[in-house]
C-alpha cells in the first residue's frame, strides 16, 4: 500500500498508508513566506485509506539501523514475511511502534527474504528515515528502488516520497523533475487509488511552491474520481479548503475559488468528516483554519471558543508545528481582546516550541507578537531584540520564497524549451522527409525545397527569439524588484561589490546611504497593503530622482532601501541623504487617505572609515540608520 507522510524539521512526522507520503505540512511552515492572515495555509496534511498519526522519533530511526526490537504483541516467528511486511505497512497509523518493531525484525532477517520482499523492506526503511528527517539515508534507497525495482507500484511510491523529500530540503528543481516522471507513471497506473494518491502529492507540492492554480488543476482531477473511504474524503476536503483559503486571504481573483461563507461551510463539513475518520490532527488543523478566518475578521471570541476546548487534544498530538500554531492563534486572539496576561501566557508557550521551528513562518509570528507584547509592557530593549529576530527570520523566509518562485520559472522555461526542441525536431524531420520524397518523385522541384528550408529557418529564428525574450524576462525578475523597480537585494550586492572594486583601483571614495520608512507597519495596518505599496513606489521613485546618474538604489528588505554612491565623499553623501529626507517628507499621499507626512530614518557611511570593505560599509550605514531611529526618526546620522 502506498504511503502518505507529514514531516517537521525535527524528528516528528505524521504518516498514513495510501498512495504515498505527502509531507507538506511542516515544510509549508518552514519554507513558505505568507502574511499572518494566511498562516494556516501552511498547514497541509492529507492521506488516503489509512490513519494519519504522530510518527517516528530519532531513537526509533536508530533502532532501524541497529536492529533493536521492542516488545510487541505480534507473533514474529509464526508469521510469514509477506504478512509481516503488510502489517508493517498497515499498522503505521494505529500502532506505529509495532510497525517499527516489525521493520527492525525483518531487517535482521534480510538474508532470508526474496528479492521483492527486500525491495518492499527497503521502501519501508526508507520512509522511516524520511520521517525522522534523515534524508541523506532515505534518498539513496528511494533512488535505488526507482532504478532497479520491477514493481511499478513501488517505483511510483518511491517517486512520490522523493517529491516530498525534495520539497522539505528545498530542492525544487529535483522535485519538479520527479513530478514529470510521476505523471507518466500515473497515466499508466492500473491501481486508481494509487494514482489518486499520487495526484494529491502533486497537488501538495504545488501548494507549497505557491502555484495554487496548478494545485487546483490536479485537485480537480482527484475530485472527479470515485471516493468512498471517509479518510480519503477527509484529506481531500482539507486540501481543497487549504487552496481556497490561501487564495481567499490573499484576495486572489482566480476563477472558481470559494467565497468566505461557502469556505466556512466547507471547512465545518470537513471537520465533521475528519472527526468521523478519527483524524484528530487534521481535525485541529481545520479548526485552526476557521480560527484564522475569525481573527482575520476581528472575531477573537469565536476563535477562542473554537480553540480552547480542544487545546488538550492538540497537545496530545505532540506535533510541534500544530501546537505552536494553536498557541500563536490563541495568543493573537487574546491580543485582539486586549488581554495582556493571557497573551503573555500563550505566546510564552509558543516560544518554547521555537527551537524546533527555527527560521519558519511560525517563528515570525511568535517573534512579532513577543515584540509587540514587550513594547506594550514597557520592556523596550527586549522588544527591540525580538523585533530584530522577527526582521531577520522574515527576510530569510522571503528570500527562500523568492528562490522557490525562481525555481518554478526556470522549470517552466526548461519544460518549454524541451517541448519546443521536440517540436523543432519533429518539424525538421517532417521537412527532411518531405524533401526526400520530393527528390525521389521530382528531381526538378527545387523551388519547393528552398521554400521548405526558408520556413525551417524562420521557425528556428522565431523559436530562438522567443527563447531569448523568456530569458530576458527571467533575468529582469531576478535583478529588479517588481514593486519599486529598483535593484533586488542580490543584484544590489553584486553591483555594489563591482563598483567598490573599481573605485578602489583608482582610489576614489565610495559612500553608502541606508534608509527605512518610519512606522510603515502602521500604514499597512491602518490604510491597507495597497496604500503601503503606493508609499514604497513613490518613496523609491523620489530618491532615484535625487540620486546622481551613476548611483544605484536597491530594496534591501520590506521597507528598507540602500543607495551606493561611487566616487562620492561622505560630506556629499550626507547632503544627498538630507535632500532625500526632505523630499520623502514632502510627498503627499492625500489621494490614498494618508494625511500625515511619511518620513524615513537615514544612515550614511563611507570608505574613509572602513577602507573598501563592502560588508562593513553596509553594516556601518545600517548602524547609523538605527541611531536615527533611536534619536527620534526622520533624521540623518553619519557613521564616523
Amino acid at each position: 500500500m502506498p504511503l502518505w507522510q507529514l514531516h517537521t524539521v525535527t524528528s516528528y512526522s505524521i504518516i498514513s498508508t495510501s498512495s504515498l507520503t505527502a509531507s507538506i505540512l511542516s515544510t509549508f511552515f518552514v519554507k513558505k513566506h505568507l502574511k499572518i492572515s494566511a498562516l494556516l495555509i501552511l498547514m497541509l496534511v492529507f492521506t488516503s485509506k489509512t490513519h494519519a498519526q504522530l510518527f517516528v522519533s530519532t531513537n526509533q530511526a536508530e533502532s532501524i539501523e541497529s536492529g533493536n526490537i521492542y516488545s510487541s504483541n505480534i507473533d514474529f516467528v509464526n508469521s510469514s514475511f509477506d504478512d509481516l511486511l503488510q502489517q508493517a505497512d498497515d499498522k503505521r497509523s494505529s500502532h506505529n511502534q509495532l510497525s517499527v518493531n516489525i521493520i527492525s525484525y525483518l531487517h535482521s532477517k534480510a538474508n532470508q527474504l526474496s528479492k521483492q520482499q527486500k525491495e518492499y523492506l527497503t521502501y519501508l526503511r526508507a520512509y522511516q528515515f524520511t520521517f525522522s528527517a534523515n534524508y541523506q539515508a532515505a534518498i539513496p534507497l528511494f533512488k535505488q528502488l526507482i532504478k532497479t525495482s520491477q514493481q511499478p507500484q513501488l517505483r511510483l511510491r518511491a517517486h512520490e516520497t522523493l517529491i516530498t523529500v525534495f520539497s522539505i530540503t528545498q530542492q525544487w528543481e529535483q522535485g519538479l523533475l520527479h513530478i514529470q516522471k510521476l505523471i507518466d507513471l500515473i497515466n499508466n497506473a492500473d491501481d486508481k487509488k494509487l494514482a489518486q494518491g499520487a495526484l494529491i502529492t502533486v497537488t501538495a507540492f504545488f501548494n507549497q511552491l505557491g502555484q495554487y492554480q496548478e494545485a487546483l488543476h490536479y485537485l480537480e482531477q482527484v475530485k472527479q474520481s470515485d471516493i468512498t473511504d471517509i479518510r480519503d474524503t477527509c484529506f481531500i476536503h482539507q486540501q481543497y479548503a487549504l487552496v481556497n483559503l490561501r487564495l481567499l486571504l490573499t484576495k486572489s481573483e482566480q476563477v472558481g475559488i470559494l467565497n468566505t461563507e461557502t469556505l466556512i461551510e466547507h471547512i465545518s463539513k470537513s471537520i465533521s468528516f475528519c472527526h468521523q475518520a478519527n483524524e484528530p490532527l487534521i481535525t485541529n488543523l481545520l479548526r485552526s483554519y476557521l480560527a484564522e478566518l475569525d481573527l482575520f475578521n476581528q472575531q477573537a471570541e469565536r476563535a477562542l471558543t473554537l480553540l480552547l476546548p480542544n487545546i488538550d487534544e492538540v497537545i496530545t498530538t505532540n506535533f510541534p508545528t500544530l501546537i505552536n500554531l494553536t498557541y500563536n492563534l490563541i495568543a493573537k486572539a487574546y491580543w485582539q481582546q486586549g488581554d495582556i496576561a493571557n497573551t503573555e501566557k500563550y505566546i510564552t508557550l509558543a516560544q518554547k516550541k521555537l527551537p524546533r521551528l527555527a527560521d519558519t513562518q511560525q517563528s515570525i509570528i511568535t517573534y512579532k507578537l513577543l515584540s509587540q507584547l514587550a513594547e506594550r509592557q514597557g520592556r523596550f530593549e527586549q522588544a527591540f531584540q525580538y523585533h530584530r529576530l522577527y526582521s531577520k527570520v522574515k527576510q530569510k523566509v522571503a528570500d527562500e520564497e523568492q528562490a522557490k518562485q525562481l525555481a518554478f520559472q526556470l522549470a517552466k522555461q526548461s519544460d518549454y524549451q524541451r517541448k519546443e526542441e521536440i517540436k523543432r525536431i519533429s518539424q525538421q524531420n517532417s521537412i527532411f522527409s518531405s524533401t526526400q520524397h520530393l527528390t525521389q518523385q521530382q528531381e526538378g522541384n527545387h523551388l519547393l525545397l528552398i521554400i521548405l528550408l526558408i520556413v525551417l529557418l524562420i521557425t528556428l529564428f522565431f523559436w530562438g527569439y522567443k527563447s531569448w525574450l523568456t530569458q530576458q524576462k527571467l533575468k529582469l525578475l531576478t535583478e529588479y524588484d517588481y514593486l519599486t523597480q529598483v535593484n533586488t537585494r542580490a543584484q544590489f550586492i553584486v553591483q555594489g561589490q563591482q563598483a567598490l572594486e573599481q573605485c578602489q583601483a583608482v582610489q576614489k571614495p565610495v559612500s553608502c546611504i541606508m534608509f527605512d520608512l518610519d512606522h510603515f507597519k502602521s500604514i499597512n495596518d491602518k490604510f491597507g497593503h495597497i496604500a503601503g505599496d503606493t508609499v514604497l513606489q513613490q518613496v523609491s521613485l523620489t530618491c532615484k530622482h535625487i540620486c546622481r546618474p551613476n548611483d544605484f538604489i536597491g530594496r534591501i528588505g520590506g521597507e528598507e532601501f540602500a543607495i551606493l554612491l561611487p566616487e562620492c565623499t561622505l560630506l556629499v553623501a550626507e547632503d544627498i541623504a538630507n535632500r532625500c529626507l526632505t523630499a520623502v517628507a514632502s510627498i503627499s499621499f492625500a489621494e490614498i487617505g494618508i494625511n500625515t507626512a511619511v518620513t524615513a530614518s537615514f544612515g550614511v557611511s563611507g570608505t574613509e572609515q572602513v577602507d573598501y570593505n563592502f560588508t562593513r560599509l553596509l553594516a556601518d550605514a545600517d548602524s547609523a540608520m538605527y541611531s536615527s531611529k533611536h534619536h527620534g526618526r526622520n533624521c540623518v546620522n553619519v557613521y564616523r
Side-chain angles (χ1 to χ4, degrees):
M1 256 183 283
L3 172 71
W4 297 82
Q5 69 185 23
L6 173 65
H7 283 275
T8 64
V9 290
T10 64
S11 60
Y12 291 84
S13 303
I14 293 178
I15 62 166
S16 52
T17 50
S18 174
S19 274
L20 180 62
T21 310
S23 144
I24 306 296
L25 169 60
S26 66
T27 36
F28 265 96
F29 275 96
V30 176
K31 310 299 175 194
K32 184 71 177 171
H33 173 58
L34 297 175
K35 301 176 183 177
I36 293 177
S37 61
L39 164 66
L40 52 137
I41 295 168
L42 307 176
M43 304 296 293
L44 176 60
V45 66
F46 44 81
T47 187
S48 176
K49 191 167 184 177
T50 57
H51 311 282
Q53 42 88 43
L54 194 64
F55 195 80
V56 65
S57 63
T58 303
N59 63 335
Q60 288 174 318
E62 291 172 350
S63 74
I64 301 171
E65 297 171 321
S66 63
N68 293 334
I69 305 297
Y70 298 94
S71 61
S72 63
N73 298 323
I74 193 169
D75 186 355
F76 288 94
V77 177
N78 295 321
S79 299
S80 68
F81 290 143
D82 286 335
D83 288 342
L84 290 174
L85 286 166
Q86 190 62 56
Q87 288 191 63
D89 209 348
D90 291 343
K91 298 297 182 180
R92 291 170 300 169
S93 296
S94 56
H95 299 88
N96 175 248
Q97 185 62 61
L98 176 58
S99 178
V100 174
N101 294 349
I102 296 173
I103 293 171
S104 299
Y105 173 78
L106 290 173
H107 184 57
S108 68
K109 302 291 183 180
N111 60 342
Q112 301 178 33
L113 302 179
S114 68
K115 181 181 178 180
Q116 287 189 337
Q117 290 169 341
K118 287 179 180 178
E119 289 178 349
Y120 199 176
L121 179 60
T122 297
Y123 177 78
L124 294 175
R125 292 182 63 239
Y127 75 65
Q128 295 277 14
F129 287 130
T130 301
F131 295 151
S132 60
N134 188 357
Y135 308 121
Q136 290 184 344
I139 291 175
L141 295 178
F142 286 128
K143 288 186 175 180
Q144 173 190 337
L145 285 174
I146 291 171
K147 183 177 180 180
T148 63
S149 177
Q150 299 300 314
Q151 303 179 66
Q153 291 188 359
L154 211 54
R155 291 202 309 273
L156 190 149
R157 294 177 71 181
H159 272 297
E160 282 191 87
T161 312
L162 271 179
I163 291 170
T164 297
V165 171
F166 289 138
S167 69
I168 296 171
T169 56
Q170 300 185 69
Q171 300 181 62
W172 309 112
E173 296 88 348
Q174 288 292 321
L176 290 165
L177 178 63
H178 278 273
I179 282 179
Q180 293 177 0
K181 297 177 180 178
L182 182 61
I183 295 301
D184 293 336
L185 289 173
I186 290 173
N187 293 333
N188 297 320
D190 295 328
D191 189 335
K192 298 306 178 184
K193 294 288 290 181
L194 195 65
Q196 181 187 92
L199 287 172
I200 299 179
T201 296
V202 174
T203 299
F205 185 89
F206 281 117
N207 256 329
Q208 184 181 2
L209 204 55
Q211 302 301 321
Y212 301 103
Q213 198 61 36
E214 294 284 341
L216 278 174
H217 169 72
Y218 288 106
L219 193 57
E220 287 298 330
Q221 295 185 38
V222 177
K223 291 175 65 180
Q224 290 173 7
S225 57
D226 293 331
I227 304 171
T228 56
D229 188 272
I230 191 170
R231 294 187 181 91
D232 293 350
T233 304
C234 163
F235 289 107
I236 292 171
H237 272 65
Q238 183 270 338
Q239 181 72 1
Y240 189 67
L242 179 65
V243 176
N244 280 276
L245 181 65
R246 177 67 180 101
L247 294 173
L248 178 67
L249 292 181
T250 53
K251 296 181 172 60
S252 171
E253 296 182 359
Q254 298 279 8
V255 176
I257 67 170
L258 305 179
N259 58 37
T260 303
E261 293 182 0
T262 308
L263 179 57
I264 291 174
E265 182 180 347
H266 175 80
I267 295 175
S268 301
K269 183 179 179 181
S270 301
I271 290 174
S272 176
F273 278 125
C274 294
H275 182 72
Q276 294 177 44
N278 192 25
E279 296 290 351
L281 191 142
I282 311 304
T283 302
N284 283 288
L285 290 183
L286 289 163
R287 289 190 182 114
S288 75
Y289 294 179
L290 288 179
E292 185 67 18
L293 281 172
D294 289 337
L295 294 177
F296 184 73
N297 294 314
Q298 299 296 312
Q299 296 177 326
E301 188 61 37
R302 285 183 56 178
L304 291 171
T305 303
L306 182 67
L307 295 175
L308 287 175
N310 300 289
I311 188 68
D312 290 337
E313 186 178 69
V314 171
I315 294 173
T316 57
T317 66
N318 201 27
F319 193 74
T321 304
L322 175 62
I323 297 172
N324 181 272
L325 167 69
T326 305
Y327 286 152
N328 276 335
L329 290 173
I330 294 174
K332 184 178 178 182
Y334 279 124
W335 180 258
Q336 285 188 7
Q337 290 184 335
D339 188 337
I340 302 301
N342 277 314
T343 299
E344 183 173 18
K345 172 184 175 181
Y346 283 98
I347 201 61
T348 302
L349 291 171
Q351 186 182 13
K352 292 179 180 179
K353 295 294 178 181
L354 287 185
R356 291 178 174 176
L357 302 169
D359 297 337
T360 68
Q361 179 67 25
Q362 287 298 298
S363 57
I364 291 175
I365 297 166
T366 303
Y367 284 137
K368 181 175 182 179
L369 194 50
L370 283 169
S371 174
Q372 293 173 328
L373 180 64
E375 184 177 5
R376 175 74 66 86
Q377 294 175 334
R379 296 181 285 113
F380 298 109
E381 182 175 354
Q382 195 169 13
F384 177 71
Q385 294 299 326
Y386 282 134
H387 185 76
R388 287 186 69 97
L389 289 171
Y390 158 76
S391 300
K392 178 182 176 182
V393 177
K394 183 179 179 181
Q395 183 59 49
K396 183 173 182 179
V397 173
D399 291 343
E400 291 169 351
E401 172 64 14
Q402 188 176 28
K404 284 199 293 187
Q405 298 304 318
L406 180 59
F408 179 72
Q409 293 299 328
L410 290 174
K412 284 184 65 177
Q413 172 66 11
S414 176
D415 183 58
Y416 170 78
Q417 290 180 336
R418 180 177 63 87
K419 291 178 179 178
E420 287 297 309
E421 181 66 16
I422 293 172
K423 181 180 178 181
R424 185 187 67 81
I425 293 174
S426 176
Q427 290 175 340
Q428 192 175 37
N429 289 338
S430 176
I431 292 172
F432 289 154
S433 176
S434 298
T435 301
Q436 184 179 16
H437 180 69
L438 290 171
T439 301
Q440 291 174 352
Q441 292 188 1
Q442 293 181 339
E443 293 183 357
N445 198 358
H446 297 299
L447 180 60
L448 180 59
L449 175 60
I450 292 173
I451 293 174
L452 291 173
L453 289 174
I454 292 174
V455 171
L456 173 61
L457 290 174
I458 293 174
T459 301
L460 291 175
F461 171 78
F462 279 105
W463 173 81
Y465 179 70
K466 192 171 183 180
S467 178
W468 178 82
L469 284 179
T470 304
Q471 293 290 346
Q472 292 302 111
K473 289 179 181 178
L474 287 175
K475 182 180 179 182
L476 186 65
L477 220 109
T478 58
E479 293 181 354
Y480 293 97
D481 179 65
Y482 78 98
L483 178 64
T484 60
Q485 294 302 303
V486 299
N487 293 297
T488 62
R489 181 187 181 93
Q491 183 65 10
F492 178 83
I493 291 173
V494 171
Q495 290 189 355
Q497 192 65 53
Q498 292 174 351
L500 206 65
E501 291 172 0
Q502 292 171 1
C503 290
Q504 184 179 15
V506 295
Q507 290 299 300
K508 296 291 185 179
V510 179
S511 297
C512 180
I513 301 172
M514 292 190 73
F515 64 95
D516 184 273
L517 298 184
D518 298 329
H519 306 296
F520 183 74
K521 179 184 178 300
S522 65
I523 295 176
N524 277 335
D525 291 343
K526 186 175 181 180
F527 302 98
H529 289 280
I530 295 178
D533 289 347
T534 302
V535 170
L536 290 173
Q537 290 170 337
Q538 290 299 317
V539 169
S540 63
L541 182 62
T542 298
C543 292
K544 280 171 67 177
H545 288 161
I546 293 175
C547 290
R548 304 172 306 166
N550 61 331
D551 300 338
F552 52 92
I553 182 172
R555 186 181 180 188
I556 304 302
E559 64 269 18
E560 187 176 354
F561 298 81
I563 307 172
L564 198 75
L565 305 96
E567 300 184 18
C568 179
T569 64
L570 199 61
L571 187 61
V572 174
E574 183 180 6
D575 178 67
I576 292 175
N578 277 298
R579 287 160 57 196
C580 289
L581 176 79
T582 303
V584 169
S586 64
I587 300 174
S588 173
F589 295 104
E591 291 183 0
I592 57 175
I594 303 177
N595 296 316
T596 58
V598 175
T599 63
S601 299
F602 287 76
V604 184
S605 65
T607 53
E608 292 95 318
Q609 285 79 25
V610 296
D611 202 4
Y612 291 90
N613 187 316
F614 185 72
T615 303
R616 278 288 309 280
L617 191 67
L618 287 177
D620 290 348
D622 185 69
S623 179
M625 181 188 71
Y626 274 102
S627 294
S628 297
K629 292 284 189 183
H630 290 304
H631 286 82
R633 297 183 171 86
N634 193 25
C635 61
V636 176
N637 265 278
V638 180
Y639 187 88
R640 301 185 189 278

